[in-house]
């Protein structure tokens, strides 16, 4: 089959991989919000057709022939706007050529709206910033565990006063748990870093929305 790239979408809460030789063909994987290497400029819409079984799993031709399983045809539309993977649409059922052409034209017109496009990209940026904050929080926690583990190895005592939920990894370290297990839990944690929002603090000033 040679080299290809993959665009990852979700259908019925399952991740589905769509392979394409249209772009850089460097075995890259792209999700919504990613810049696709070697993608064409402008607003581009593409389509693909796949089959899913009753459980929502991808079915290929040989599997269907061997198992005779019931399958659902799906027509997929993907939008790349100025090389950014911006949107995708899943249509259950096979579509005729004319209908596919109409949907492609509709998607190109929809995402040709600069205001709509900018709003979507801002959403992508906000999601990436939130993800970066989570990763930074995990790394900071992991570094703290490593620093304290080194202190213990050198015979230095840990702080007597730890801040409860904010220092749980250090509390576990102080109780003698294996640092490697603590690091694994810290780096795989899905919890959000704590932020001091209006929920935790005083009511905001009525002009807060205008304050720089």
């Amino acid at each position: 089959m040679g080299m290809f790239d993959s665009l990852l979408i979700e259908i019925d809460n399952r991740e589905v991989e769509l392979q394409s030789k249209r772009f850089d063909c460097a075995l890259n994987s792209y999700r919504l919000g990613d810049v696709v290497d070697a993608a064409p400029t402008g607003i581009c819409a593409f389509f693909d057709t796949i089959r899913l079984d009753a459980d929502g799993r991808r079915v290929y031709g040989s599997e269907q022939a061997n198992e005779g399983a019931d399958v659902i045809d799906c027509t997929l539309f993907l939008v790349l706007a100025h090389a950014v993977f911006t949107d995708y649409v899943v249509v259950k059922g096979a579509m005729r050529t004319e209908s596919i052409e109409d949907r492609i034209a509709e998607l190109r017109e929809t995402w040709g709206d600069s205001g709509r496009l900018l709003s979507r990209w801002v959403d992508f940026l906000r999601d990436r910033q939130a993800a970066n904050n989570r990763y930074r929080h995990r790394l900071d926690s992991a570094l703290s565990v490593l620093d304290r583990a080194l202190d213990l190895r050198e015979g230095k005592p840990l702080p007597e006063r730890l801040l409860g939920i904010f220092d749980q990894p250090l509390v576990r370290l102080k109780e003698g748990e294996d640092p490697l297990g603590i690091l694994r839990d810290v780096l795989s944690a899905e919890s959000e870093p704590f932020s001091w929002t209006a929920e935790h603090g005083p009511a905001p000033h009525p002009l807060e929305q205008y304050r720089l």
Side-chain angles (χ1 to χ4, degrees), residues 39-46 79-84 86 108 111-112 117 121:
T41 59
I43 310 298
C44 303
F46 306 97
V79 177
L80 273 62
H82 308 293
V84 178
T86 299
R108 292 184 62 183
W111 292 109
L117 189 60
W121 287 354

Side-chain angles (χ1 to χ4, degrees), residues 6-212:
S6 298
L7 292 101
L8 305 176
I9 66 173
E10 189 174 286
I11 302 177
D12 296 333
N13 297 318
R14 289 182 182 273
E15 187 171 77
V16 175
E17 177 186 7
L18 305 176
Q19 295 179 357
S20 175
K21 294 186 177 182
R22 182 177 290 274
F23 310 114
D24 206 28
C25 292
L27 297 179
N28 293 321
S29 294
Y30 300 105
R31 290 180 170 82
L32 280 177
D34 289 341
V35 175
V36 178
D37 292 338
T41 59
I43 310 298
C44 303
F46 306 97
F47 86 98
D48 197 2
T49 56
I50 65 172
R51 289 185 162 183
L52 304 176
D53 65 15
D55 295 324
R57 289 187 292 261
R58 182 86 179 262
V59 175
Y60 298 91
S62 58
E63 296 178 55
Q64 182 191 4
N66 293 335
E67 302 176 9
D70 292 334
V71 296
I72 301 173
D73 291 313
C74 292
T75 306
L76 313 175
F77 298 89
L78 295 85
V79 177
L80 273 62
H82 308 293
V84 178
F85 184 13
T86 299
D87 191 24
Y88 66 86
V89 176
V90 179
V91 178
K92 296 292 181 68
M95 297 177 64
R96 296 177 302 175
T97 299
E98 296 81 3
S99 299
I100 292 174
E101 291 176 338
D102 289 343
R103 180 58 67 91
I104 287 176
E106 176 186 326
L107 287 169
R108 292 184 62 183
E109 180 179 0
T110 296
W111 292 109
D113 182 332
S114 58
R116 184 191 303 271
L117 189 60
L118 182 59
S119 178
R120 173 59 64 90
W121 287 354
V122 168
D123 288 340
F124 290 152
L125 179 60
R126 184 181 294 111
D127 291 342
R128 295 297 170 86
Q129 287 178 330
N132 287 341
N133 287 338
R134 291 193 296 271
Y135 296 144
R136 188 179 302 112
H137 175 69
R138 295 176 196 174
L139 289 175
D140 288 344
S141 297
L143 287 173
S144 180
V145 170
L146 286 173
D147 288 341
R148 297 306 183 186
L150 290 174
D151 287 344
L152 286 175
R153 178 179 294 181
E154 296 173 2
K156 299 177 182 178
L158 293 180
E160 289 298 325
R161 296 183 62 185
L162 297 175
L163 300 178
I165 62 172
F166 304 107
D167 278 332
Q168 276 302 307
L170 301 186
V171 172
R172 293 170 57 188
L173 189 64
K174 189 174 183 180
E175 293 174 349
E177 286 194 40
D178 184 355
L180 291 179
I182 300 173
L183 285 175
R184 178 198 59 206
D185 292 343
V186 165
L187 292 173
S188 61
E190 294 294 336
S191 58
E192 297 284 341
F194 179 83
S195 62
W196 191 264
T197 62
E199 180 182 351
H200 304 97
H205 189 278
L207 297 179
E208 189 63 31
Q209 62 178 317
Y210 305 109
R211 192 186 304 276
L212 181 61

